[in-house]
Amino acid sequence: MQADWRWLNRDIHSKFDAVICLVNSFTHLFSEGDRRKALAEFYAALRYDGILILDQRNYDSILDHGFYSKHIYYYCGEDVKAEPEYLDEGLARFKYEFPDQSVYHLNMFPLRKDYTINLMQEVGFQGIKTYGYFQESYHNDEQDFFVHVAEKEYKKKLKGQNQVNYSTTVDTARTYYNSDSADQFYATVWGGEDIHVGIYEREDEPVFDASRRTVERVASLLNLNENSSVLDIGSGYGGAARYLAKTFGCHVTCLNVSKVQNQRNSQMNQEQGLGSLIEVIEGSFEDIPYEDEQFDVVWSQDAILHSGNRIQLIKEVQRVMKPGGEFIFTDPMQSDDCPEGLLQPVLDRIHLDSLGSIEFYRKAAKVTGLEEIQVIDLTAQLVNHYRRVLETVDANYQQAVADSGKDYIDAMKVGLNHWIDAGKNGYLSWGILHFRKK
């Protein structure tokens, strides 16, 4: 049947289990209004539990780094040559050359990956999962094409309802932190209850003490009491939640992707008599399973780096905060002036494509309706922390190997050295970022 995507349901009256939009064809819509209209028509054509499968060329890599194609799954071999003849943020003009010497040109809109995902979310699709060359784990710059799989089924966010939508990046972190090796390492070496960057007062201070000082420092910037509700996103083993509940008597909800960490968290809450004040939920901070305006404070420590869509995460944080609520977090970040490509060893180790920066979070907060309260730059503590963790591993190497395995510990040591080197070279930053919902 021939039909215009923008008025698809005028001509097609059936409902379908899947809408498939492949061969980079969505890129032929140059108006954002047309793109939204087409996606809405796709959504309407699906049954309640249907899916949309949509692929797109990796225009992010082309726009940011120049054109390169591996020709693995698309335009295989050397018989067809396809490359951009002109490119800017609004136009990709490709030239196609064939063995018979024929040449064709095609104008397309260079869709960025996150932009496409956001459009699908705004139309109503949920549970969007993006594959790079059909793989769940990938580096953005190494893919010629992305494939998005989006669900129509409506999943209402209700308090305590655990309906989890994991992006590829979050799911990678989830798999990692659920592993026995990682669990043993973070529980015994990194800091036990507090698995984040510490604030050190002396060089030989234990990791646990410095990590707890970070919790105390962040908490000192808030006005909490027994009536306060706090959401800790990426809560790990729940050390911060227990500190807040004990110190202020507030109710804390821990949202975390790792089932293994959540089990430890719940167990320690019960052992310390805090089960009535702390709720532990498995879920993604990119799709927070709570209704709007539920929390006075959203708190996070060194977890947001594991998001593949940090703008979406901050939108979710803004959504679940009460008016006047506060968002306070720490995160390992790249410096605002970090040269391109020099953090690749760090990113490879933690299976990420990028890190945020202080300037990035400032801009993201502003566009999502948050105002800045303060940013406290504590970058020097990042190197202190990774150096101290490495020293702790070396001092307890045999036990660490027995707990987590030699391959894991040796790879961890390499990764820690990459963090230390990048920090010393001024490529990383770390601190406390504090915002308020207007």
Side-chain angles (χ1 to χ4, degrees):
M1 177 174 285
Q2 179 179 348
D4 187 320
W5 289 351
R6 298 169 297 177
W7 295 278
L8 186 64
N9 292 276
R10 180 183 63 186
D11 300 310
I12 297 176
H13 305 294
S14 300
K15 296 293 183 182
F16 299 89
D17 297 305
V19 170
I20 302 174
C21 182
L22 301 180
V23 204
N24 195 38
S25 54
F26 195 67
T27 193
H28 295 303
L29 296 173
F30 277 81
S31 160
E32 179 166 318
D34 286 344
R35 289 190 284 272
R36 290 181 182 274
K37 186 71 170 69
L39 286 172
E41 291 290 301
F42 294 166
Y43 187 93
L46 288 167
R47 295 191 175 98
Y48 80 95
D49 58 351
I51 62 170
L52 167 67
I53 304 175
L54 182 150
D55 75 351
Q56 65 168 101
R57 188 182 283 277
N58 185 356
Y59 291 108
D60 291 76
S61 180
I62 299 172
L63 288 166
D64 296 338
H65 308 296
F67 177 74
Y68 171 77
S69 179
K70 293 183 177 180
H71 291 269
I72 299 176
Y73 301 108
Y74 294 77
Y75 306 109
C76 301
E78 303 301 323
D79 291 341
V80 179
K81 185 178 181 181
E83 60 185 17
E85 197 171 58
Y86 175 84
L87 189 71
D88 63 26
E89 290 285 347
L91 174 65
R93 180 176 173 83
F94 267 69
K95 180 180 180 181
Y96 295 82
E97 299 179 72
F98 294 86
D100 63 0
Q101 308 305 311
S102 59
V103 176
Y104 299 90
H105 293 86
L106 194 59
N107 290 338
M108 295 170 284
F109 182 83
L111 294 160
R112 286 190 176 272
K113 183 183 77 170
D114 288 346
Y115 169 80
T116 306
I117 293 171
N118 286 336
L119 278 184
M120 289 189 285
Q121 289 172 332
E122 289 171 8
V123 166
F125 286 104
Q126 299 189 46
I128 301 170
K129 196 162 189 176
T130 300
Y131 299 81
Y133 265 166
F134 313 108
Q135 305 300 313
E136 290 185 315
S137 299
Y138 57 88
H139 293 291
N140 270 344
D141 295 340
E142 296 178 0
Q143 316 304 311
D144 287 351
F145 279 76
F146 298 116
V147 181
H148 308 289
V149 180
E151 300 174 357
K152 177 176 180 177
E153 183 178 2
Y154 179 63
K155 300 174 181 178
K156 187 177 181 181
K157 296 176 175 66
L158 296 174
K159 182 177 179 181
Q161 187 173 344
N162 187 21
Q163 294 174 319
V164 186
N165 294 316
Y166 294 117
S167 69
T168 301
T169 306
V170 171
D171 202 39
T172 299
R174 176 171 171 259
T175 300
Y176 172 77
Y177 286 111
N178 274 334
S179 71
D180 290 338
S181 294
D183 180 48
Q184 287 297 318
F185 178 79
Y186 287 98
T188 59
V189 175
W190 195 279
E193 292 192 55
D194 301 305
I195 53 174
H196 46 74
V197 174
I199 296 176
Y200 293 78
E201 293 184 346
R202 64 178 195 276
E203 289 188 355
D204 62 344
E205 190 168 17
V207 173
F208 178 87
D209 293 348
S211 299
R212 176 44 54 98
R213 185 174 294 111
T214 303
V215 176
E216 295 169 350
R217 177 70 182 279
V218 176
S220 72
L221 303 175
L222 300 168
N223 293 312
L224 297 172
N225 56 52
E226 64 275 9
N227 296 318
S228 301
S229 57
V230 180
L231 173 65
D232 184 352
I233 57 174
S235 52
Y237 295 126
R242 284 184 290 280
Y243 174 82
L244 297 176
K246 286 179 183 177
T247 306
F248 304 102
C250 56
H251 185 277
V252 185
T253 300
C254 294
L255 180 68
N256 195 52
V257 296
S258 169
K259 182 177 293 186
V260 172
Q261 290 181 345
N262 290 344
Q263 288 171 345
R264 281 187 184 269
N265 186 353
S266 297
Q267 181 179 346
M268 286 188 279
N269 294 339
Q270 294 301 322
E271 291 172 350
Q272 297 179 35
L274 296 169
S276 62
L277 288 176
I278 301 174
E279 182 179 22
V280 182
I281 298 293
E282 182 179 342
S284 170
F285 44 28
E286 295 175 353
D287 186 29
I288 298 175
Y290 287 88
E291 294 179 339
D292 298 353
E293 300 182 359
Q294 294 291 305
F295 299 96
D296 299 298
V297 172
V298 177
W299 167 298
S300 184
Q301 289 184 272
D302 302 345
I304 297 176
L305 77 161
H306 292 298
S307 170
N309 190 345
R310 298 180 186 108
I311 293 287
Q312 171 65 17
L313 182 153
I314 295 173
K315 286 180 179 178
E316 282 289 274
V317 167
Q318 193 270 357
R319 179 183 65 78
V320 299
M321 281 196 301
K322 298 175 183 177
E326 296 176 54
F327 178 32
I328 193 165
F329 68 95
T330 64
D331 206 44
M333 299 168 283
Q334 68 178 45
S335 58
D336 288 327
D337 57 355
C338 178
E340 185 72 32
L342 293 182
L343 282 182
Q344 201 57 51
V346 170
L347 297 174
D348 288 344
R349 170 62 190 145
I350 52 179
H351 308 291
L352 293 175
D353 299 313
S354 66
L355 293 174
S357 66
I358 289 177
E359 185 61 22
F360 167 82
Y361 286 121
R362 278 178 160 148
K363 289 180 179 178
K366 185 176 181 179
V367 300
T368 53
L370 303 178
E371 59 182 2
E372 182 179 320
I373 297 175
Q374 59 187 325
V375 172
I376 304 172
D377 193 329
L378 299 168
T379 296
Q381 294 291 350
L382 189 76
V383 174
N384 292 342
H385 183 76
Y386 284 101
R387 175 189 54 78
R388 192 70 188 96
V389 172
L390 181 59
E391 291 172 352
T392 304
V393 172
D394 286 336
N396 302 276
Y397 180 76
Q398 294 302 327
Q399 184 60 51
V401 167
D403 290 339
S404 298
K406 189 175 187 304
D407 289 345
Y408 180 90
I409 294 300
D410 289 348
M412 176 61 72
K413 290 183 61 177
V414 171
L416 290 169
N417 275 305
H418 286 320
W419 281 93
I420 293 168
D421 291 343
K424 287 180 177 178
N425 288 327
Y427 303 149
L428 295 171
S429 63
W430 183 78
I432 303 170
L433 293 85
H434 193 183
F435 302 93
R436 179 183 290 114
K437 182 174 180 177
K438 297 178 182 178

